[in-house]
PDB file of all heavy atoms in Angstrom:
ATOM      1  N   VAL F   2     -97.837 -97.882  60.983  1.00  0.00           N
ATOM      2  CA  VAL F   2     -96.744 -97.406  60.124  1.00  0.00           C
ATOM      3  C   VAL F   2     -95.974 -98.635  59.626  1.00  0.00           C
ATOM      4  O   VAL F   2     -95.610 -99.497  60.444  1.00  0.00           O
ATOM      5  CB  VAL F   2     -95.827 -96.444  60.892  1.00  0.00           C
ATOM      6  CG1 VAL F   2     -94.644 -96.066  59.972  1.00  0.00           C
ATOM      7  CG2 VAL F   2     -96.566 -95.250  61.411  1.00  0.00           C
ATOM      8  N   PRO F  19     -60.702-100.204  50.371  1.00  0.00           N
ATOM      9  CA  PRO F  19     -60.070-100.429  49.077  1.00  0.00           C
ATOM     10  C   PRO F  19     -58.598-100.715  49.223  1.00  0.00           C
ATOM     11  O   PRO F  19     -57.987-100.310  50.196  1.00  0.00           O
ATOM     12  CB  PRO F  19     -60.333 -99.107  48.341  1.00  0.00           C
ATOM     13  CG  PRO F  19     -60.515 -98.099  49.426  1.00  0.00           C
ATOM     14  CD  PRO F  19     -61.126 -98.810  50.562  1.00  0.00           C
ATOM     15  N   VAL F  21     -55.076 -99.864  48.737  1.00  0.00           N
ATOM     16  CA  VAL F  21     -54.338 -98.654  48.435  1.00  0.00           C
ATOM     17  C   VAL F  21     -52.883 -98.856  48.150  1.00  0.00           C
ATOM     18  O   VAL F  21     -52.229 -98.021  47.545  1.00  0.00           O
ATOM     19  CB  VAL F  21     -54.478 -97.592  49.577  1.00  0.00           C
ATOM     20  CG1 VAL F  21     -55.928 -97.149  49.730  1.00  0.00           C
ATOM     21  CG2 VAL F  21     -53.975 -98.143  50.926  1.00  0.00           C
ATOM     22  N   ALA F  23     -49.858-101.193  46.430  1.00  0.00           N
ATOM     23  CA  ALA F  23     -49.581-102.232  45.393  1.00  0.00           C
ATOM     24  C   ALA F  23     -48.859-103.404  46.088  1.00  0.00           C
ATOM     25  O   ALA F  23     -48.033-103.220  46.988  1.00  0.00           O
ATOM     26  CB  ALA F  23     -48.714-101.658  44.300  1.00  0.00           C
ATOM     27  N   ALA F  29     -49.288-115.244  48.579  1.00  0.00           N
ATOM     28  CA  ALA F  29     -49.313-115.561  47.143  1.00  0.00           C
ATOM     29  C   ALA F  29     -47.915-115.929  46.670  1.00  0.00           C
ATOM     30  O   ALA F  29     -47.762-116.705  45.696  1.00  0.00           O
ATOM     31  CB  ALA F  29     -49.820-114.393  46.363  1.00  0.00           C
ATOM     32  N   SER F  37     -36.615-117.567  43.308  1.00  0.00           N
ATOM     33  CA  SER F  37     -37.880-118.262  43.289  1.00  0.00           C
ATOM     34  C   SER F  37     -39.048-117.315  43.472  1.00  0.00           C
ATOM     35  O   SER F  37     -40.081-117.405  42.764  1.00  0.00           O
ATOM     36  CB  SER F  37     -37.923-119.343  44.348  1.00  0.00           C
ATOM     37  OG  SER F  37     -39.139-119.984  44.372  1.00  0.00           O
ATOM     38  N   SER F  49     -52.314-112.623  35.712  1.00  0.00           N
ATOM     39  CA  SER F  49     -53.322-111.590  36.027  1.00  0.00           C
ATOM     40  C   SER F  49     -53.636-110.656  34.841  1.00  0.00           C
ATOM     41  O   SER F  49     -54.588-109.943  34.811  1.00  0.00           O
ATOM     42  CB  SER F  49     -52.916-110.737  37.196  1.00  0.00           C
ATOM     43  OG  SER F  49     -51.808-109.922  36.870  1.00  0.00           O
ATOM     44  N   GLY F  66     -37.396-102.428  22.272  1.00  0.00           N
ATOM     45  CA  GLY F  66     -36.663-102.291  21.015  1.00  0.00           C
ATOM     46  C   GLY F  66     -35.819-103.472  20.636  1.00  0.00           C
ATOM     47  O   GLY F  66     -34.944-103.381  19.751  1.00  0.00           O
ATOM     48  N   SER F  70     -39.316-113.069  23.628  1.00  0.00           N
ATOM     49  CA  SER F  70     -40.155-114.149  23.123  1.00  0.00           C
ATOM     50  C   SER F  70     -41.119-114.687  24.193  1.00  0.00           C
ATOM     51  O   SER F  70     -40.861-114.480  25.411  1.00  0.00           O
ATOM     52  CB  SER F  70     -39.301-115.283  22.581  1.00  0.00           C
ATOM     53  OG  SER F  70     -38.682-115.935  23.611  1.00  0.00           O
ATOM     54  N   ILE F  87     -34.981-112.747  34.777  1.00  0.00           N
ATOM     55  CA  ILE F  87     -35.437-111.491  34.154  1.00  0.00           C
ATOM     56  C   ILE F  87     -34.486-110.340  34.581  1.00  0.00           C
ATOM     57  O   ILE F  87     -34.097-110.232  35.748  1.00  0.00           O
ATOM     58  CB  ILE F  87     -36.916-111.209  34.547  1.00  0.00           C
ATOM     59  CG1 ILE F  87     -37.460-110.084  33.656  1.00  0.00           C
ATOM     60  CG2 ILE F  87     -37.101-110.954  36.011  1.00  0.00           C
ATOM     61  CD1 ILE F  87     -38.977-109.980  33.689  1.00  0.00           C
ATOM     62  N   VAL F  98     -46.275-103.137  30.418  1.00  0.00           N
ATOM     63  CA  VAL F  98     -47.105-103.840  29.465  1.00  0.00           C
ATOM     64  C   VAL F  98     -48.336-104.460  30.138  1.00  0.00           C
ATOM     65  O   VAL F  98     -49.459-104.360  29.633  1.00  0.00           O
ATOM     66  CB  VAL F  98     -46.295-104.891  28.660  1.00  0.00           C
ATOM     67  CG1 VAL F  98     -47.226-105.799  27.897  1.00  0.00           C
ATOM     68  CG2 VAL F  98     -45.295-104.177  27.755  1.00  0.00           C
ATOM     69  N   GLY F 106     -45.023-103.272  44.240  1.00  0.00           N
ATOM     70  CA  GLY F 106     -45.212-103.522  45.632  1.00  0.00           C
ATOM     71  C   GLY F 106     -44.367-104.671  46.144  1.00  0.00           C
ATOM     72  O   GLY F 106     -43.853-104.644  47.297  1.00  0.00           O
ATOM     73  N   ALA F 116     -45.865 -99.270  48.187  1.00  0.00           N
ATOM     74  CA  ALA F 116     -45.994 -98.430  47.016  1.00  0.00           C
ATOM     75  C   ALA F 116     -47.502 -98.024  46.888  1.00  0.00           C
ATOM     76  O   ALA F 116     -48.352 -98.930  46.806  1.00  0.00           O
ATOM     77  CB  ALA F 116     -45.581 -99.214  45.756  1.00  0.00           C
ATOM     78  N   ASP F 118     -50.517 -95.202  45.266  1.00  0.00           N
ATOM     79  CA  ASP F 118     -50.836 -94.329  44.172  1.00  0.00           C
ATOM     80  C   ASP F 118     -50.412 -92.920  44.533  1.00  0.00           C
ATOM     81  O   ASP F 118     -50.607 -92.464  45.653  1.00  0.00           O
ATOM     82  CB  ASP F 118     -52.342 -94.365  43.911  1.00  0.00           C
ATOM     83  CG  ASP F 118     -52.746 -93.744  42.615  1.00  0.00           C
ATOM     84  OD1 ASP F 118     -52.487 -92.508  42.442  1.00  0.00           O
ATOM     85  OD2 ASP F 118     -53.315 -94.424  41.771  1.00  0.00           O
ATOM     86  N   TYR F 121     -52.277 -90.225  46.691  1.00  0.00           N
ATOM     87  CA  TYR F 121     -52.315 -90.276  48.158  1.00  0.00           C
ATOM     88  C   TYR F 121     -51.159 -89.496  48.804  1.00  0.00           C
ATOM     89  O   TYR F 121     -51.097 -89.355  49.998  1.00  0.00           O
ATOM     90  CB  TYR F 121     -52.339 -91.713  48.667  1.00  0.00           C
ATOM     91  CG  TYR F 121     -53.558 -92.476  48.265  1.00  0.00           C
ATOM     92  CD1 TYR F 121     -53.461 -93.551  47.422  1.00  0.00           C
ATOM     93  CD2 TYR F 121     -54.803 -92.123  48.742  1.00  0.00           C
ATOM     94  CE1 TYR F 121     -54.587 -94.295  47.047  1.00  0.00           C
ATOM     95  CE2 TYR F 121     -55.937 -92.809  48.394  1.00  0.00           C
ATOM     96  CZ  TYR F 121     -55.828 -93.878  47.549  1.00  0.00           C
ATOM     97  OH  TYR F 121     -56.946 -94.604  47.156  1.00  0.00           O
ATOM     98  N   LEU F 129     -48.470 -86.616  58.134  1.00  0.00           N
ATOM     99  CA  LEU F 129     -47.150 -86.462  58.717  1.00  0.00           C
ATOM    100  C   LEU F 129     -47.011 -85.033  59.352  1.00  0.00           C
ATOM    101  O   LEU F 129     -46.377 -84.935  60.445  1.00  0.00           O
ATOM    102  CB  LEU F 129     -46.053 -86.652  57.657  1.00  0.00           C
ATOM    103  CG  LEU F 129     -45.917 -88.078  57.110  1.00  0.00           C
ATOM    104  CD1 LEU F 129     -44.942 -88.142  55.947  1.00  0.00           C
ATOM    105  CD2 LEU F 129     -45.505 -89.038  58.251  1.00  0.00           C
ATOM    106  N   PHE F 140     -44.290 -80.850  73.167  1.00  0.00           N
ATOM    107  CA  PHE F 140     -42.996 -80.230  73.613  1.00  0.00           C
ATOM    108  C   PHE F 140     -43.238 -78.829  74.192  1.00  0.00           C
ATOM    109  O   PHE F 140     -42.742 -78.555  75.301  1.00  0.00           O
ATOM    110  CB  PHE F 140     -42.035 -80.120  72.402  1.00  0.00           C
ATOM    111  CG  PHE F 140     -40.785 -79.386  72.705  1.00  0.00           C
ATOM    112  CD1 PHE F 140     -39.757 -79.985  73.426  1.00  0.00           C
ATOM    113  CD2 PHE F 140     -40.588 -78.015  72.304  1.00  0.00           C
ATOM    114  CE1 PHE F 140     -38.595 -79.296  73.746  1.00  0.00           C
ATOM    115  CE2 PHE F 140     -39.468 -77.338  72.634  1.00  0.00           C
ATOM    116  CZ  PHE F 140     -38.445 -77.948  73.313  1.00  0.00           C
ATOM    117  N   LYS F 141     -44.063 -78.019  73.560  1.00  0.00           N
ATOM    118  CA  LYS F 141     -44.369 -76.704  74.050  1.00  0.00           C
ATOM    119  C   LYS F 141     -45.080 -76.783  75.428  1.00  0.00           C
ATOM    120  O   LYS F 141     -44.709 -76.008  76.342  1.00  0.00           O
ATOM    121  CB  LYS F 141     -45.208 -75.929  73.093  1.00  0.00           C
ATOM    122  CG  LYS F 141     -44.459 -75.440  71.867  1.00  0.00           C
ATOM    123  CD  LYS F 141     -45.342 -74.868  70.773  1.00  0.00           C
ATOM    124  CE  LYS F 141     -46.070 -73.630  71.240  1.00  0.00           C
ATOM    125  NZ  LYS F 141     -46.848 -73.010  70.104  1.00  0.00           N
ATOM    126  N   ALA F 143     -44.821 -79.147  77.655  1.00  0.00           N
ATOM    127  CA  ALA F 143     -43.876 -79.589  78.640  1.00  0.00           C
ATOM    128  C   ALA F 143     -42.969 -78.472  79.038  1.00  0.00           C
ATOM    129  O   ALA F 143     -42.600 -78.256  80.226  1.00  0.00           O
ATOM    130  CB  ALA F 143     -43.058 -80.755  78.113  1.00  0.00           C
ATOM    131  N   LYS F 147     -42.498 -76.606  82.697  1.00  0.00           N
ATOM    132  CA  LYS F 147     -41.146 -76.381  83.350  1.00  0.00           C
ATOM    133  C   LYS F 147     -41.004 -74.906  83.745  1.00  0.00           C
ATOM    134  O   LYS F 147     -40.530 -74.559  84.790  1.00  0.00           O
ATOM    135  CB  LYS F 147     -40.026 -76.787  82.450  1.00  0.00           C
ATOM    136  CG  LYS F 147     -39.876 -78.294  82.260  1.00  0.00           C
ATOM    137  CD  LYS F 147     -38.705 -78.514  81.267  1.00  0.00           C
ATOM    138  CE  LYS F 147     -38.699 -79.919  80.718  1.00  0.00           C
ATOM    139  NZ  LYS F 147     -37.673 -80.094  79.704  1.00  0.00           N
TER     140      LYS F 147
END
Side-chain angles (χ1 to χ4, degrees):
V2 177
V21 295
S37 177
S49 69
S70 69
I87 192 165
V98 168
D118 192 300
Y121 296 115
L129 293 171
F140 173 78
K141 285 172 64 175
K147 288 178 194 175

